[in-house]
Amino acid sequence: MMSTSLTPLRVECSISKDGPRETETGRTQAAVLARQSHRSLSTYLNVPESFGFLRNQVTPFLIDSSDGPSLYAWHILPIELYRQHEGQLLAESSGFVSDITSRTAFQLLRDDSEARLVIHFHGAAGTVGSGYRVPNYRALSAGDPRKTHVLTFNYRGFGRSAGVPSEPALILDAISVVNWALEVAAIPPSRIVLFGQSLGTAVTLAVLEHYNTLRFPPVAFAGSVLVAPFTDVPNLVATYRLAGIIPILSPFASFPVLFDFLRILIHDEWLSKARITNYIRVNEVIGLRYFLTLIHAEDDYDIPSRHTEELYWHAVDATRSTGVSRLQSERIKQASRTDLGAAGSAMEWSTNNGVIREEILKTGLHDVIMGNAVVTLAVMRIFAAADSLV
């Protein structure tokens, strides 16, 4: 029976989109990932070496959220930068630190005028060390192993971050982390990429909305990468299949009254479709630059790739005051899409102010895709575009 307290967060946790079960990797991985999940919820998070990192390549620390709770975070050094300063890093104590500003790793980020930062917003359930997130961090910095740092954290109620999660609370957490990067680490937004996967894509779009519509002057980040996004939670639960097989609410879609009633029971909706439209439209009106990449795998059985296609169309539609109809968009796609064969396809829409890029991969499932080279290249494209404006 569906409870009236159901939230999108609880929906995602209950169906384990990217939690310890990791359905997209197959049930043969379940035992291994269950053990990893147990470790992640223990003191092992303060020993990043147990996840395959080098000593002091990762600094565990806390970031204060604007309304109180402390957020558990990792700062991950790019590998070549680590090599260059290995002696200094090895001389320091390892593990959790109460003052990250005193650490060599942080100073290498703050004091380098060319340092780049990818802020990582994870999916539902798990911790900073769960599942395919660790390979994801390596993919994010692989394009420039001298300059590209990664900052990842757990929302409140996840991992070692205290508090009760909700849509407004998670957005506050994400904004607090971005503010830390801007103000404490002193990284200008032009050298920051926002990366989100699954639930994290909705968080990313909420952050973008905050910085370009709710803050003055608006802030232009180097760009954003959304992997396996969804249009909104009501549509997500309508299309979601447990383990890629068992439909959750789609059988009720033939009964509109009942289906609408069930949708009402979802408290937090994560309206990404509306947010991406608003974000692009505002940027076009005020002439603020942007670079937005959406990536999805056709064999993602957790969130169907049509969610990305829908978001891409809404983003493109928002670039013109007269709009771009779905039919027009499809015709343009047919004429301009790049066929990558077994790798999938790519489509790019450019305006005087920005770029919207859609990449649909043939394979990659829901989480495996995060460690793929397509993610590395997406980050490289964004930073290269930002550099060309300097």
Side-chain angles (χ1 to χ4, degrees):
M1 178 178 294
M2 183 173 291
S3 166
T4 54
S5 65
L6 185 68
T7 69
L9 187 61
R10 293 191 182 106
V11 167
E12 291 201 284
C13 288
S14 66
I15 58 183
S16 303
K17 286 209 312 294
D18 49 2
R21 184 169 54 84
E22 298 288 338
T23 60
E24 64 280 355
T25 66
R27 293 181 178 84
T28 57
Q29 297 286 330
V32 173
L33 293 172
R35 287 196 296 272
Q36 186 180 54
S37 176
H38 175 73
R39 294 190 338 170
S40 298
L41 292 173
S42 72
T43 56
Y44 278 93
L45 280 177
N46 285 335
V47 187
E49 294 84 352
S50 66
F51 294 89
F53 291 106
L54 299 167
R55 175 183 167 89
N56 285 333
Q57 184 186 0
V58 175
T59 307
F61 70 108
L62 295 178
I63 296 174
D64 290 332
S65 190
S66 59
D67 64 341
S70 293
L71 307 171
Y72 186 84
W74 278 359
H75 165 220
I76 306 167
L77 278 176
I79 190 65
E80 171 59 17
L81 184 64
Y82 179 95
R83 186 197 65 79
Q84 293 172 2
H85 299 273
E86 186 175 9
Q88 294 170 264
L89 293 162
L90 292 178
E92 296 180 336
S93 59
S94 62
F96 177 83
V97 300
S98 56
D99 179 16
I100 192 174
T101 63
S102 66
R103 306 289 289 193
T104 297
F106 172 81
Q107 293 159 13
L108 291 172
L109 170 65
R110 180 194 60 194
D111 299 340
D112 183 357
S113 62
E114 296 181 352
R116 298 163 170 177
L117 181 64
V118 179
I119 302 179
H120 181 278
F121 302 107
H122 67 69
T127 74
V128 292
S130 294
Y132 282 88
R133 290 173 191 163
V134 170
N136 185 198
Y137 307 147
R138 296 192 178 104
L140 292 172
S141 66
D144 190 343
R146 299 173 300 111
K147 299 294 183 182
T148 305
H149 300 242
V150 176
L151 175 63
T152 187
F153 72 102
N154 277 138
Y155 317 114
R156 70 184 71 191
F158 290 75
R160 297 176 66 90
S161 295
V164 178
S166 67
E167 179 173 353
L170 267 61
I171 294 171
L172 279 178
D173 292 347
I175 291 170
S176 298
V177 170
V178 174
N179 284 341
W180 181 91
L182 294 171
E183 298 166 8
V184 179
I187 306 299
S190 61
R191 289 194 273 120
I192 294 176
V193 165
L194 305 182
F195 175 92
Q197 187 263 348
S198 194
L199 173 65
T201 64
V203 176
T204 301
L205 288 169
V207 169
L208 291 173
E209 180 182 54
H210 170 82
Y211 281 97
N212 89 328
T213 63
L214 303 177
R215 178 166 166 157
F216 185 84
V219 174
F221 297 98
S224 303
V225 180
L226 309 179
V227 175
F230 54 91
T231 57
D232 52 55
V233 167
N235 281 317
L236 172 62
V237 297
T239 58
Y240 187 84
R241 288 177 176 267
L242 186 62
I245 299 171
I246 305 170
I248 302 300
L249 289 187
S250 56
F252 299 103
S254 300
F255 307 94
V257 175
L258 177 57
F259 186 69
D260 289 343
F261 170 74
L262 293 174
R263 286 165 55 124
I264 290 171
L265 301 181
I266 300 172
H267 291 176
D268 296 344
E269 296 188 309
W270 292 106
L271 302 176
S272 292
K273 184 167 62 177
R275 284 184 169 129
I276 201 170
T277 298
N278 191 41
Y279 170 69
I280 298 296
R281 182 170 291 139
V282 168
N283 280 357
E284 288 292 335
V285 169
I286 65 178
L288 199 66
R289 67 167 304 278
Y290 61 89
F291 199 126
L292 181 64
T293 300
L294 300 94
I295 302 173
H296 220 125
E298 288 183 3
D299 63 352
D300 185 337
Y301 301 115
D302 295 275
I303 300 178
S305 60
R306 61 179 174 272
H307 282 267
T308 279
E309 294 170 353
E310 181 80 3
L311 286 171
Y312 175 81
W313 170 62
H314 278 274
V316 168
D317 180 53
T319 63
R320 293 180 179 176
S321 58
T322 56
V324 177
S325 71
R326 193 184 299 270
L327 180 60
Q328 285 178 300
S329 177
E330 285 304 312
R331 285 175 175 170
I332 294 169
K333 267 191 177 184
Q334 292 299 322
S336 307
R337 179 190 285 127
T338 301
D339 185 351
L340 302 174
S345 65
M347 178 66 197
E348 197 167 280
W349 179 276
S350 299
T351 73
N352 291 333
N353 299 306
V355 174
I356 305 165
R357 184 177 176 87
E358 175 196 79
E359 298 193 41
I360 305 296
L361 280 63
K362 292 291 185 183
T363 59
L365 300 170
H366 186 63
D367 277 7
V368 176
I369 190 174
M370 292 194 294
N372 288 4
V374 66
V375 168
T376 304
L377 191 54
V379 172
M380 292 174 69
R381 281 196 188 94
I382 290 173
F383 280 131
D387 289 347
S388 69
L389 300 174
V390 177

